[in-house]
Structures are given as structure tokens and as C-alpha cells.
Amino acid sequence: MTQKLKLAFIVDPLDALKAYKDSSIAMMRAAAARGHQVWTIQREALAWRDGAVFAHAVPVTPLPSDEPWYAAGEAQRLPLTAFDAVLMRQDPPFDFEYVTATWLLEAAVAAGARVFNDPRAIRDHSEKLAITEFPQFTPTSLVARDPADIHAFIDELGDVILKPLDGMGGSQIFRVGAADPNRNVIVETLTHEGTRTIMAQRYLPAIVDGDKRVLIVGGEVVPYALARIPKAGETRGNLAAGGRGVAMAITAREREIAEYLAPILWQRGLLIVGLDVIGGHLTEINVTSPTCMVEIATQAGFDVAALVVTKLEEACAD
């Protein structure tokens, strides 16, 4: 019999979560269904004193309805070591407060807490820059802040995507052609007049078939991806930008990429990873709060959230 776990989820404000599609809520429901205790923590509640990291934690009972989706118990101030596992599921922006949270969580790990994704690994894996470790899978890319370098890249390739390194949900992503009359102002805006580093990538026409979200859980590749297909007239497939999500079996190329990365990322303590793949090219490695679990479960019948709970049970049994 699997031991009953006490699990804490560091999430955005509970009433702001959209239960009909939120992956963190799906994981909480899957955990509660197996008899595990579910607690929630707000990032701003993390605090350190005398060698221990504490937080005001709220026990919740997930409900089958989406509104309300939970019943809350009485908050308690507890050390993170009081939980069998803590899941960091805070959405970006990955600002200084987020970095501070990873430092506090790293201190909790040093004191004996289990935290997923590993806070050091979250901090070390920029969701845009992490692909530079695996250039064999990426499209032609440039990371730079000098406008001259970026314009040379645009001139060389003719059709590129420009994006900030700290965005999410498709925010501030531009498709720029060599003849685009707005290219100067776009580069100036994204680089803040040459003071901020950005990423440029070759435009991939395969985006019309979807920006694929391939999930890896505990070193295991989920056999279905969510293709986020841009709406008419759009370049971005992100659901937050109006893209349409279609679950489908992963391709041989997507499996090749994911199977290569899976053991490397799991060995680093990254329990849940979301790869973004367009036309067989790796474009991002998402480690803060990868999503798309609900859509895959609903459309393809594969319960990703339940797989997460299984991997947590196995990790806590070691």
C-alpha cells in the first residue's frame, strides 16, 4: 500500500486559478483522489529563520466543481520539512522575487525538504536559454543584445522570430522579415535600446501545424503532445494568445528529442518539464510551471496529473 503523503503546492492565488484547465489543480485532484493531503502555499508566504524555511500553508480539499474548486481549512505556519514533497508551481515572470523564492527553497532542501522542480535547477534553466545546451535539436538561433548583431541575423535569414528572455504565454513575440518597415523599432523596443539581451530564431513555417508541448514527468516521456495551433493571422500558437490546443500522439522526432533530454533533466531534479517543439525543432524548455495536462487528459485520455502523483510517490518512497 502506498503511504499517504502530505503535499504542498506553491501556486498563484487560489481564486485566480482557472480550474477547468489548470494543471496544478489537476495534480491536486489526482493526489487527493489517492488519499494524499493537499496543502497550498503562496510564494510571498515563504520565510527563513534560524536555519529553517517556513510558510503559512492552507490545507485544501479539491472539489469536483470548477467554481468553487476547493474548500479551505485553517492556515498553519509550518516548516517545509513538514511536507513529504513541495511542488513549486508559481507562474512567471521570473523576476528577482522568483529568484529569491528559489534561494529560500534551496535552503529548505538543504534542511531536508523535497522540492520539485529542484529550485537550483529552476534557477539554472532559463526557459529560453536552456536550449543552448542542446544545439543539435534547435533551429538556427541567436542570443544577443547588440542591435547590429540582431539586424545581421535578420538580414542573413530573412524571416525570424524575436522574443524576450523572460516572457511567457507568447508575450512580446514578433515575427520580423528583412524588409519589415518596423524592424528597427521592434529591435529597439525588445532590447530596450540595446540594454537587454533577447533571443532570435529562424522562423519555422511548421508553426501552422502547431507549437507542440511535449511533457516529461519524472524522466518519462508523455506519449501525447498538445499542438497549440495559431489562430488565423497569428504567428504565435500559445493558448494565451488565442491558439487552439489539439492533443495528438508525439512524432518519432519529438520522442527522439524528449527521450534524449528526459534522463538528463530528471537527474537534475526536474520532475515536470514542458518542451516546446515546432517542426521537429526544440525552441524552449519550460521548467517553472509547465501546463497542458488537462487538455491532453480530456482529448487523448492520458492522465498526466496522475503520472505526476505516481512519480511523487516513487520519489518519496526512496
Side-chain angles (χ1 to χ4, degrees):
M1 179 180 296
T2 302
Q3 71 174 105
K4 300 309 177 186
L5 304 177
K6 188 174 182 179
L7 304 175
F9 292 77
I10 302 175
V11 290
D12 291 316
L14 302 186
D15 291 335
L17 301 180
K18 296 178 173 61
Y20 67 92
K21 67 173 186 176
D22 190 274
S23 293
S24 296
I25 293 176
M27 287 184 269
M28 293 183 213
R29 285 172 168 164
R34 295 197 194 178
H36 302 307
Q37 292 183 40
V38 174
W39 295 67
T40 60
I41 294 172
Q42 300 296 294
R43 187 180 69 187
E44 58 268 24
L46 294 172
W48 176 94
R49 180 169 177 173
D50 299 330
V53 178
F54 290 82
H56 290 280
V58 178
V60 300
T61 301
L63 303 176
S65 62
D66 286 344
E67 199 170 318
W69 68 265
Y70 70 95
E74 185 176 349
Q76 298 181 40
R77 185 172 182 269
L78 297 170
L80 296 195
T81 51
F83 301 98
D84 293 294
V86 177
L87 284 83
M88 177 52 160
R89 293 287 303 172
Q90 178 80 44
D91 278 343
F94 196 82
D95 54 16
F96 187 74
E97 280 299 308
Y98 207 120
V99 172
T100 299
T102 67
W103 285 326
L104 290 172
L105 291 172
E106 194 172 0
V109 170
R114 289 190 182 96
V115 180
F116 301 103
N117 285 332
D118 179 82
R120 179 188 291 266
I122 290 177
R123 197 171 59 246
D124 288 350
H125 285 75
S126 160
E127 298 191 328
K128 305 293 191 296
L129 289 176
I131 67 168
T132 61
E133 185 179 353
F134 310 103
Q136 68 270 38
F137 299 126
T138 67
T140 305
S141 301
L142 170 75
V143 178
R145 68 183 246 181
D146 187 334
D149 291 333
I150 298 165
H151 283 296
F153 187 82
I154 297 171
D155 288 333
E156 176 189 348
L157 297 180
D159 195 358
V160 307
I161 295 293
L162 302 181
K163 53 188 174 182
L165 298 180
D166 59 353
M168 65 167 289
S171 174
Q172 301 179 68
I173 292 179
F174 291 87
R175 179 182 178 185
V176 181
D180 192 323
N182 294 311
R183 61 182 275 184
N184 285 332
V185 70
I186 291 171
V187 172
E188 289 168 6
T189 299
L190 286 178
T191 65
H192 291 211
E193 303 286 349
T195 63
R196 293 190 66 182
T197 302
I198 68 169
M199 174 169 278
Q201 291 180 325
R202 176 168 61 88
Y203 171 72
L204 300 170
I207 185 62
V208 298
D209 298 319
D211 179 353
K212 303 279 196 70
R213 169 57 56 84
V214 179
L215 292 169
I216 304 172
V217 178
E220 181 175 333
V221 178
V222 172
Y224 294 91
L226 190 74
R228 294 155 305 166
I229 301 171
K231 64 182 180 181
E234 257 287 1
T235 298
R236 303 167 299 171
N238 309 75
L239 302 183
R244 176 171 55 93
V246 179
M248 56 184 66
I250 62 175
T251 67
R253 173 61 171 173
E254 290 158 1
R255 179 171 289 281
E256 176 191 1
I257 296 171
E259 293 283 4
Y260 183 92
L261 268 63
I264 297 172
L265 300 177
W266 181 220
Q267 195 265 340
R268 296 173 183 174
L270 292 166
L271 173 73
I272 308 169
V273 177
L275 308 180
D276 287 350
V277 182
I278 302 174
H281 297 277
L282 178 67
T283 61
E284 291 187 19
I285 302 175
N286 297 276
V287 299
T288 51
S289 57
T291 186
C292 298
M293 296 182 188
V294 175
E295 293 88 348
I296 291 173
T298 300
Q299 297 182 33
F302 188 95
D303 195 339
V304 185
L307 177 60
V308 172
V309 176
T310 296
K311 294 296 183 179
L312 283 171
E313 291 169 345
E314 293 173 355
C316 292
D318 290 343

